[in-house]
Amino acid sequence: IEDKFWSPNIVSVEGMGMAWHGRKAVEQKNASWLAQNQIQGASAEGPFVGASGFAVKFRMEVRDLSSGQRTVMEEIGVYQVQNGRIVREEFMYGPSAHPGTPS
């Protein structure tokens, strides 16, 4: 998906506003997350298509590799598309990903 659809200048925004700019930085962000976590199961709903892009709802069971703790995470990925390429992705988390976050 990344090779075919990501813009070289993609911006990836996580949760409360941390952002990575450019394909190399986003690939490093993803590799770092995968080095710390193991996905035990996952599902996706969508896409939900709009005028400027689409959204997908993800649900993942994740095991933290340092502690062994398992968590069920839900997030919405919102993808902005220009000229057939994803130029921005933003992930919005459910309350299980960030305890204390309003739902």
Side-chain angles (χ1 to χ4, degrees):
I1 291 174
E2 291 88 356
D3 287 340
K4 187 171 182 177
F5 295 111
W6 272 3
S7 164
N9 299 317
I10 187 168
V11 174
S12 182
V13 180
E14 291 282 345
M16 303 310 262
M18 293 177 50
W20 290 260
H21 298 267
R23 185 175 172 139
K24 184 176 179 180
V26 176
E27 288 174 345
Q28 288 173 341
K29 173 200 71 146
N30 292 344
S32 176
W33 188 88
L34 286 170
Q36 298 172 38
N37 298 282
Q38 181 181 52
I39 299 172
Q40 303 285 297
S43 64
E45 294 179 45
F48 302 93
V49 180
S52 63
F54 63 96
V56 177
K57 179 180 180 182
F58 298 101
R59 179 180 168 92
M60 295 180 284
E61 182 178 344
V62 177
R63 183 172 67 90
D64 181 300
L65 293 175
S66 64
S67 70
Q69 181 179 358
R70 289 183 179 214
T71 305
V72 174
M73 297 176 50
E74 289 186 312
E75 65 183 16
I76 305 292
V78 178
Y79 301 88
Q80 183 180 1
V81 177
Q82 292 177 352
N83 300 321
R85 297 283 188 148
I86 298 170
V87 294
R88 178 182 167 92
E89 60 181 20
E90 181 172 353
F91 298 98
M92 301 169 187
Y93 307 130
S96 65
H98 293 284
T101 302
S103 55

